[in-house]
């Protein structure tokens, strides 16, 4: 997987043209009031723990255009020696304030040995999806399930694995009315929820993959721009696409440098739109919102991830603005910010933020946020 990561040019030019010109679904509006067509809970029967695989039976089947309200469960409070009631009780959280899903998953769901830590809801089977297609995932809404989350670090964690000598799980409370989290030192941090993991099942030759490192199937991107009003595009590798989501976050800084975000359970309302044949020119995920395109570079080497993100940015600028390679390279240097989305999950991510205002014409976007 790591060697393949450095070979993922995402061919933005072809992909953007495909979505903008060839697919009427690209302009499909979001449902009024974000009303879901179906609801999917996070129960022992609808989640997996620590892995993504094409061999897991679907927990839900939908058609393209369907809107699904999905419960997601943070793994924090489930990966310690103590059960979640005991773990959260130390911070004064009452047993009845601990999600029943957390208690049930802790007691009944096996965790993949030697794999990731994340609890993932899914897979969702999208009817008609086949290898070579692309799945568009629109983030319509994100709701907090509890007014608290966890940031956990310790030996071996983050970009400074020797900094913290003992495991340090920190339970952080939040005010959901004011939309702030209460951090150490009296710091109040505005909440900005997003799903750390949205992805499809990997190519079938990869029988099972850890939920930890992201890949061309997306997965653990930890891309904080994927909040309400954003869109993620993922190439499809299996019939039905087989979509998974989880690793919900209340807020996170770019880089996720101590190894974790504010891990806080969310309910997401997502709309799924299938684009036939649009994944053939893709080598990995891409994203956008009403204001920007996001060019992603993924690699185990942060320098290579940077080079990939810059190359994808240059190609998009060439296609969308009619620039030469030299002109696009200049614009990328002057007007595009490149940030580290992820520096702690083996495969690291750089993303370039390309303002849509650069282009004279842009396809109609579904959200005005």
């Amino acid at each position: 997987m790591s060697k393949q990561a450095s070979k993922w040019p995402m061919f933005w030019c072809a992909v953007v043209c495909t979505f903008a010109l060839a697919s009427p679904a690209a302009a499909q509006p979001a449902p009024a009031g974000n009303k879901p067509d179906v609801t999917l809970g996070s129960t022992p029967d609808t989640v997996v723990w620590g892995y993504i695989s094409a061999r897991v039976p679907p927990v839900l089947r939908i058609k393209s255009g369907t809107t699904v309200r999905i419960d997601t469960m943070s793994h924090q409070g489930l990966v310690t020696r103590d059960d979640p009631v005991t773990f959260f009780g130390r911070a004064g959280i009452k047993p009845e304030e601990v999600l029943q899903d957390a208690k049930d998953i802790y007691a009944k769901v096996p965790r993949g040995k030697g794999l990731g830590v994340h609890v993932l809801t899914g897979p969702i089977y999208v009817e008609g999806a086949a290898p070579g297609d692309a799945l568009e995932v629109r983030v319509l809404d994100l709701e907090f399930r509890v007014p608290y989350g966890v940031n956990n670090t310790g030996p071996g964690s983050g970009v400074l694995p020797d900094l913290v000598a003992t495991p340090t799980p920190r339970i952080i409370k939040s005010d959901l009315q004011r939309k702030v989290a209460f951090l150490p030192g009296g710091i109040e941090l505005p909440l900005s929820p997003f799903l750390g993991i949205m992805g499809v099942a990997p190519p079938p030759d990869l029988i099972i993959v850890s939920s930890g490192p992201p890949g061309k199937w997306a997965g653990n991107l930890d891309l904080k721009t994927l909040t309400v009003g954003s869109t993620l595009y993922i190439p499809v590798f299996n019939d039905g696409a087989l979509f998974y989501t989880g690793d919900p976050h209340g807020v996170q800084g770019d880089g996720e440098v101590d190894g974790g975000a504010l891990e806080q359970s969310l309910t997401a309302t997502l709309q799924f739109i299938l684009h036939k044949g649009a994944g053939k020119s893709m080598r990995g995920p891409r994203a956008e919102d009403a204001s920007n395109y996001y060019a992603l570079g993924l690699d185990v080497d942060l320098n290579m991830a940077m080079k990939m993100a810059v190359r994808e940015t240059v190609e998009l600028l060439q296609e969308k603005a009619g620039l030469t390679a030299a002109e696009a390279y200049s614009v990328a240097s002057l007007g595009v910010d490149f940030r580290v989305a992820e520096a702690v999950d083996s495969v690291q991510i750089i993303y370039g933020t390309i303002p849509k205002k650069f282009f004279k014409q842009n396809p109609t976007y579904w959200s005005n946020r």
Side-chain angles (χ1 to χ4, degrees), residues 66-126:
T66 299
T67 297
V68 187
R69 189 172 187 267
I70 306 172
D71 286 339
T72 64
M73 173 61 56
S74 172
H75 58 280
Q76 291 296 345
L78 307 181
V79 292
T80 59
R81 294 181 181 179
D82 297 318
D83 64 87
V85 170
T86 301
F87 176 80
F88 288 114
R90 294 196 186 98
I93 296 168
K94 299 176 182 178
E96 59 270 24
E97 296 173 328
V98 178
L99 292 169
Q100 185 62 45
D101 293 358
K103 303 172 189 176
D104 294 342
I105 290 168
Y106 179 85
K108 299 177 182 180
V109 178
R111 177 180 170 187
K113 185 174 292 186
L115 296 172
V117 296
H118 310 98
V119 175
L120 303 180
T121 307
I124 296 174
Y125 187 103
V126 182

Side-chain angles (χ1 to χ4, degrees), residues 50-54 120 197 200-202 206-211 217 219 244:
Y51 63 92
I52 302 174
S53 174
L120 303 180
I197 295 179
V200 299
L206 299 175
I207 297 173
I208 187 171
V209 298
S210 169
S211 63
W217 51 89
Y244 294 81

Side-chain angles (χ1 to χ4, degrees), residues 327-338:
E327 290 169 337
Y329 201 14
S330 177
V331 172
S333 187
L334 299 176
V336 177
D337 290 322
F338 292 89

Side-chain angles (χ1 to χ4, degrees), residues 32-341:
N34 297 331
K35 183 178 180 181
D37 299 302
V38 64
T39 296
L40 179 63
S42 56
T43 70
D45 295 328
T46 63
V47 303
V48 296
W49 196 343
Y51 63 92
I52 302 174
S53 174
R55 300 195 178 188
V56 177
V59 298
L60 178 67
R61 289 176 177 263
I62 63 172
K63 295 180 180 179
S64 177
T66 299
T67 297
V68 187
R69 189 172 187 267
I70 306 172
D71 286 339
T72 64
M73 173 61 56
S74 172
H75 58 280
Q76 291 296 345
L78 307 181
V79 292
T80 59
R81 294 181 181 179
D82 297 318
D83 64 87
V85 170
T86 301
F87 176 80
F88 288 114
R90 294 196 186 98
I93 296 168
K94 299 176 182 178
E96 59 270 24
E97 296 173 328
V98 178
L99 292 169
Q100 185 62 45
D101 293 358
K103 303 172 189 176
D104 294 342
I105 290 168
Y106 179 85
K108 299 177 182 180
V109 178
R111 177 180 170 187
K113 185 174 292 186
L115 296 172
V117 296
H118 310 98
V119 175
L120 303 180
T121 307
I124 296 174
Y125 187 103
V126 182
E127 294 181 8
D133 296 341
L135 184 64
E136 175 183 351
V137 184
R138 298 177 175 182
V139 183
L140 305 185
D141 195 23
L142 294 165
E143 306 165 63
F144 289 96
R145 301 184 68 187
V146 289
Y148 56 84
V150 180
N151 179 252
N152 192 7
T153 192
S157 295
V159 299
L160 300 175
D162 300 323
L163 180 67
V164 180
T166 59
T168 310
R170 188 181 308 279
I171 299 172
I172 297 173
K173 296 182 180 180
S174 54
D175 184 330
L176 300 186
Q177 295 296 318
R178 295 175 54 217
K179 297 183 179 179
V180 295
F182 302 115
L183 273 57
I187 297 170
E188 292 189 1
L189 183 65
L191 294 167
S192 182
F194 71 100
L195 296 168
I197 295 179
M198 292 189 284
V200 299
D205 58 314
L206 299 175
I207 297 173
I208 187 171
V209 298
S210 169
S211 63
K216 55 188 175 182
W217 51 89
N220 192 25
L221 298 175
D222 286 330
L223 183 60
K224 72 173 190 176
T225 62
L226 291 175
T227 188
V228 174
S230 66
T231 304
L232 179 66
Y233 300 94
I234 316 169
V236 171
F237 304 99
N238 297 274
D239 288 345
L242 302 173
F243 176 85
Y244 294 81
T245 189
D247 191 27
H249 295 165
V251 65
Q252 178 203 291
D254 277 327
E256 198 183 27
V257 295
D258 83 343
L262 176 56
E263 313 289 341
Q264 189 166 4
S265 296
L266 302 172
T267 295
T269 301
L270 308 178
Q271 186 179 26
F272 299 89
I273 298 172
L274 182 64
H275 298 270
K276 297 299 295 180
K280 293 178 181 178
S281 58
M282 298 176 69
R283 296 296 182 271
R286 69 176 185 89
E288 67 173 312
D289 55 29
S291 300
N292 305 296
Y293 294 110
Y294 299 102
L296 279 66
L298 288 74
D299 198 272
V300 294
D301 184 328
L302 200 59
N303 289 323
M304 288 302 301
M306 181 66 180
K307 290 180 179 181
M308 292 169 58
V310 172
R311 187 171 298 278
E312 305 312 325
T313 297
V314 167
E315 291 181 356
L316 184 140
L317 288 167
Q318 286 182 268
E319 174 61 28
K320 297 287 287 180
L323 304 179
T324 66
E327 290 169 337
Y329 201 14
S330 177
V331 172
S333 187
L334 299 176
V336 177
D337 290 322
F338 292 89
R339 297 185 174 94
V340 181

